Amino acid sequence: MLPAIHVPTSAAGLGIAAVQCLNLASCFNEASSPAPYSKFAAAVPEKQALVSSRTGMFVIYAPALVVSSVALATSPAANGREALVAALLAAHMLKRCLEVAFVHAYSGKVALSLSCAIGSFYALICLLITATQRGVPHYAGAPVAALCLYAVGELGNLYHHVLLATQRGGASDYVVPTGAGFDLCTMPHYLFEIVAWLGVAAAAGQLNAYLVAFGMASYLGGRAVATTRWYEAKFGAKWPKDRAHLVPGVF
């Protein structure tokens, strides 16, 4: 069973949760004006300091890995879940760093300032979840459902990343991805990433973690829409018109 959701009662805690709610609408901005990295890196202004896309992605994920690893190393045992939640976050960010190094095919450059901004955001997310976790009342028991969500999300995300990289074959240009979830929606790896974040939230059992998961779902949903449009513009009639953006048969 999933734990009950702990809601902060302090003014500071409620204020942080309120600010997090603003991120729930990030889908609208991302769909219309996606952040200029990956497929959308061509929009980077020339005057900005640029780094390779691979370096930029390391800058995005490495700070969050450090923050979550420190949280894991210093976790108390007040409610029985601090170390688990920190470990799930650290494993997620380590996976992303390893994928950057060994899985993804990159081309082009990205603005260093953008990578630093996104990297700071991810680091703050990990800090927020691990710090607020220490205020959750004690509860015991193995969060089996939460760990199942997390495992399915991470493995599904990794599988589709490998499938995508294999089809691209290290080439500098993009292809129409096919196979597994790609036959049903544009971004199945985003869908599985959302599932993994829901697993983290369920393991944490607190409002801030759930708001992070929902905010991530909003952001990735908007980016999935933008990516579908990008593919349609690039491939025209070759792009399957019946593919959903993110959730097969729904969205």
Side-chain angles (χ1 to χ4, degrees):
M1 295 179 60
L2 300 178
I5 300 177
H6 172 70
V7 178
T9 56
S10 67
L14 292 173
I16 292 173
V19 171
Q20 284 185 269
C21 287
L22 298 176
N23 194 44
L24 300 180
S26 61
C27 58
F28 300 107
N29 181 71
E30 192 62 22
S32 60
S33 182
Y37 67 91
S38 186
K39 295 175 177 64
F40 307 101
V44 178
E46 293 182 0
K47 293 183 179 180
Q48 292 194 32
L50 304 179
V51 295
S52 70
S53 293
R54 193 178 303 276
T55 299
M57 298 308 288
F58 271 122
V59 173
I60 286 176
Y61 297 119
L65 173 59
V66 172
V67 169
S68 52
S69 297
V70 170
L72 175 59
T74 60
S75 292
N79 66 40
R81 296 289 174 85
E82 294 94 344
L84 173 63
V85 172
L88 295 180
L89 289 170
H92 176 73
M93 296 304 170
L94 176 60
K95 167 184 166 290
R96 299 313 301 266
C97 287
L98 292 174
E99 286 174 338
V100 170
F102 302 110
V103 176
H104 296 307
Y106 292 102
S107 60
K109 296 182 180 297
V110 64
L112 179 59
S113 59
L114 176 66
S115 293
C116 290
I118 299 176
S120 298
F121 177 73
Y122 277 122
L124 287 173
I125 281 177
C126 291
L127 179 61
L128 172 64
I129 293 176
T130 54
T132 52
Q133 186 65 27
R134 301 187 181 192
V136 178
H138 177 79
Y139 57 96
V144 177
L147 292 178
C148 286
L149 280 173
Y150 181 82
V152 168
E154 294 291 356
L155 292 174
N157 178 261
L158 173 61
Y159 173 76
H160 284 90
H161 279 165
V162 172
L163 183 60
L164 187 62
T166 300
Q167 293 184 26
R168 192 174 174 189
S172 60
D173 205 3
Y174 288 86
V175 299
V176 176
T178 58
F182 285 115
D183 290 335
L184 302 173
C185 63
T186 304
M187 308 297 279
H189 43 309
Y190 281 8
L191 176 60
F192 281 105
E193 181 169 352
I194 293 169
V195 171
W197 279 106
L198 286 173
V200 172
Q206 44 116 335
L207 179 63
N208 299 105
Y210 275 102
L211 287 175
V212 166
F214 295 149
M216 197 66 68
S218 177
Y219 169 77
L220 293 176
R223 197 163 181 85
V225 171
T227 303
T228 297
R229 293 170 179 167
W230 186 92
Y231 274 127
E232 288 174 339
K234 183 174 180 63
F235 294 108
K238 294 181 179 180
W239 181 254
K241 300 300 181 183
D242 59 343
R243 283 191 188 181
H245 300 299
L246 182 68
V247 183
V250 179
F251 168 71

